[in-house]
Amino acid sequence: MVAETGQLEQYYTVLADHIEEVRRMQHDILHHLRVMNGYAQAGDYGRLKEYLEVLVERMPDLDRQYYCADHAANILLKYYGEKARDAGIRFDCDAQIPVDLPCSPVDLCTVLGNVLQNALEACERQEPGERRYISLLAWMVGPNLTMEIRNSYDGQVKMDGDRYVSIKEGGGRGLGLSSVRQAAGRCHGYCAVSRTREEFTVKIVLA
């Protein structure tokens, strides 16, 4: 429960930062409009153009990546997609996640956040120059949301019986996958994990 609470706090922070960014934009936009209107009224189109160029450069590009209709899921996908691309990891996403899912948005974000964080960390452990990628597919089958997340990795895993064990510094059990399984269970679904020597696959159904 402590680990899961920590994960939820992390996802809440991502969402809260996004909301605060939007609020700041809404607060400031009126001031910018007044300045630009003043330049236009005065016919000073040179300064208006310069002001617009600086404003556009500084505005956060919130809608550059639109992955799905569910707002919370879209924010997490955008967050991890940007982190992957910044690290030179290919990020492919086809997420047909609608609004108003029957499962809890907290459970959905717990699942998405954990599997994407695990995938990102696995790719980062690969040797430089190796092919690194994350692929996420999500689609509705009747009332059920099905997700399949595949990622490259270095082929190294640790097992405790049939459970995956974290190979991050400090060891410990695979708390990320444990949280995913618990969230899927609360949604009357399941989580299945498989792997080859080069690829890790997690399939999740939220019913």
Side-chain angles (χ1 to χ4, degrees):
M1 177 62 75
V2 173
E4 185 172 345
T5 300
Q7 291 289 346
L8 292 178
E9 290 175 349
Q10 177 184 346
Y11 308 143
Y12 173 78
T13 299
V14 174
L15 295 173
D17 287 346
H18 176 87
I19 292 169
E20 183 61 27
E21 197 169 28
V22 172
R23 290 180 62 186
R24 284 197 303 268
M25 289 174 58
Q26 292 173 335
H27 178 267
D28 294 341
I29 194 66
L30 183 59
H31 305 309
H32 297 310
L33 289 173
R34 285 172 177 158
V35 172
M36 291 186 291
N37 182 63
Y39 286 141
Q41 292 283 349
D44 194 346
Y45 299 112
R47 289 190 177 181
L48 175 60
K49 181 175 180 293
E50 291 176 1
Y51 194 92
L52 276 170
E53 288 174 350
V54 174
L55 182 61
V56 169
E57 182 180 344
R58 293 185 181 180
M59 289 281 279
D61 193 359
L62 298 177
D63 297 320
R64 182 171 59 85
Q65 293 292 341
Y66 178 82
Y67 292 107
C68 67
D70 185 272
H71 186 59
N74 193 69
I75 293 172
L76 283 178
L77 291 170
K78 183 175 183 293
Y79 173 77
Y80 282 103
E82 288 179 353
K83 287 182 72 71
R85 280 186 290 269
D86 288 345
I89 300 165
R90 197 184 81 226
F91 184 79
D92 298 324
C93 180
D94 181 5
Q96 301 174 34
I97 305 176
V99 295
D100 300 327
L101 285 170
C103 65
S104 162
V106 172
D107 288 327
L108 175 61
C109 289
T110 296
V111 168
L112 274 178
N114 275 294
V115 293
L116 289 173
Q117 183 176 6
N118 286 349
L120 181 66
E121 291 173 351
C123 289
E124 290 175 336
R125 286 193 294 270
Q126 290 182 261
E127 293 294 330
E130 290 186 332
R131 179 169 172 258
R132 302 188 300 169
Y133 62 88
I134 299 171
S135 172
L136 183 144
L137 295 175
W139 66 98
M140 297 299 296
V141 180
N144 303 331
L145 175 63
T146 299
M147 292 183 284
E148 183 179 88
I149 300 90
R150 296 182 294 111
N151 63 271
S152 58
Y153 77 116
D154 61 6
Q156 302 297 315
V157 295
K158 288 185 179 180
M159 303 291 295
D160 180 8
D162 61 348
R163 295 280 180 173
Y164 288 91
V165 178
S166 174
I167 60 175
K168 291 187 291 187
E169 186 176 354
R173 290 175 292 180
L175 296 174
L177 280 176
S178 176
S179 293
V180 171
R181 288 191 174 96
Q182 290 177 13
R186 286 193 295 268
C187 298
H188 309 289
Y190 68 89
C191 168
V193 180
S194 61
R195 72 180 192 275
T196 66
R197 293 180 61 182
E198 298 178 347
E199 184 176 84
F200 208 87
T201 302
V202 181
K203 186 171 183 179
I204 301 145
V205 173
L206 304 180

